Amino acid sequence: MTPLPASRFPLLVRHLGRQPYLPVWQAMRAFTDARDDETPDELWLLEHDPVFTLGQAGKREHVLAPGEIPVIPVDRGGQVTYHGPGQIVAYPLLDLRRLGVGVRELVRRIEQAITDTLAHWNIVAARREGAPGVYVGDAKIAALGLRVRRGCSFHGLAFNVAMDLEPFLRINPCGYAGLQVTQVIDLGGTSSLAEVGNALVHELCHQFDLAPRNAEPVLPPVNPADSADPSMDRRALA
């Protein structure tokens, strides 16, 4: 990988392993609410236990047959998607005002970082205007769902590496009936989430001019006052 140039700001990177969805959602909301102008940006990398998440614009009609997999309405943008083992989920918790980045530019830079990550394995990918995410041919390999509050981003991206793709047949991915999905391993790339994750960190830091620093592989503590189940916060879904 090309060495990163000197950067203005650090990015604390937490490799969190496999995690249930709700505690991570709760933690990123609490982190965003508690941060101030001096709080370093963070990037959380993890896999989730199997779950469907339904964004603010999500319609239940796009959840076709979830079966035993839970469906959780959440406060991000976008429609329905699936998270599960073998997929990298990355949550960039960025102070956009400090970085001088708007929402459209945030989306574009994340998509470019994913595209550049895939190029490490000679996989040619592209973004689509009006349909956030990254595609290889007609198949989607990475989905984006973001939220910005108080000038700071949370939620993030889901990047298919080496997973069971069957659950995507139970939904209309991102609200598109019949949308094909693909993954790195099926395109001749690696099956290693660690390798893809390291490349993704590098490319995200390149896009946002950040210097990565490994942080403790644990979720930041949540204030007990914020311990209510965020899936019950209907105001976030209005």
Side-chain angles (χ1 to χ4, degrees):
M1 286 184 281
T2 304
L4 292 168
S7 303
R8 294 175 296 162
F9 305 113
L11 178 70
L12 303 185
V13 181
R14 299 185 188 271
H15 297 271
L16 297 172
R18 182 165 166 175
Q19 297 278 345
Y21 186 82
L22 284 175
V24 178
W25 180 20
Q26 182 183 74
M28 77 173 89
R29 284 162 50 106
F31 175 88
T32 301
D33 287 343
R35 68 181 303 171
D36 59 27
D37 292 344
E38 302 301 318
T39 304
D41 292 329
E42 298 203 6
L43 176 67
W44 299 355
L45 293 175
L46 56 131
E47 300 171 82
H48 277 308
D49 295 339
V51 64
F52 296 112
T53 62
L54 194 65
Q56 288 179 298
K59 298 179 180 179
R60 283 278 179 174
E61 65 200 57
H62 293 305
V63 182
L64 306 177
E68 75 288 356
I69 300 175
V71 180
I72 302 179
V74 297
D75 57 345
R76 60 162 173 79
Q79 288 275 348
V80 63
T81 195
Y82 170 71
H83 301 308
Q87 177 193 70
I88 292 176
V89 178
Y91 294 124
L93 309 177
L94 307 178
D95 186 330
L96 302 183
R97 291 174 295 194
R98 184 166 62 205
L99 296 175
V101 174
V103 175
R104 288 180 183 272
E105 185 67 9
L106 170 68
V107 171
R108 188 199 68 77
R109 292 192 193 189
I110 291 174
E111 290 172 335
Q112 189 60 53
I114 297 167
T115 299
D116 293 343
T117 297
L118 288 165
H120 289 232
W121 290 275
N122 299 312
I123 298 170
V124 178
R127 58 193 300 272
R128 288 184 181 177
E129 204 62 44
V134 175
Y135 301 79
V136 178
D138 292 328
K140 195 166 195 175
I141 194 167
L144 271 66
L146 298 159
R147 174 115 188 226
V148 174
R149 187 156 68 200
R150 299 171 57 241
C152 298
S153 68
F154 61 112
H155 290 287
L157 66 99
F159 191 171
N160 305 334
V161 179
M163 62 188 301
D164 179 4
L165 297 177
E166 184 277 333
F168 286 102
L169 299 176
R170 307 187 193 187
I171 60 174
N172 292 329
C174 304
Y176 294 97
L179 177 65
Q180 296 180 351
V181 295
T182 189
Q183 57 185 337
V184 174
I185 191 172
D186 291 343
L187 297 168
T190 181
S191 63
S192 170
L193 271 69
E195 289 181 20
V196 178
N198 288 338
L200 180 62
V201 170
H202 180 89
E203 299 300 346
L204 284 168
C205 286
H206 176 73
Q207 287 294 320
F208 291 98
D209 190 21
L210 294 167
R213 298 179 184 172
N214 285 330
E216 289 295 316
V218 295
L219 290 171
V222 175
N223 188 315
D226 300 323
S227 61
D229 183 346
S231 68
M232 304 304 294
D233 182 4
R234 303 307 300 179
R235 293 172 298 173
L237 305 177

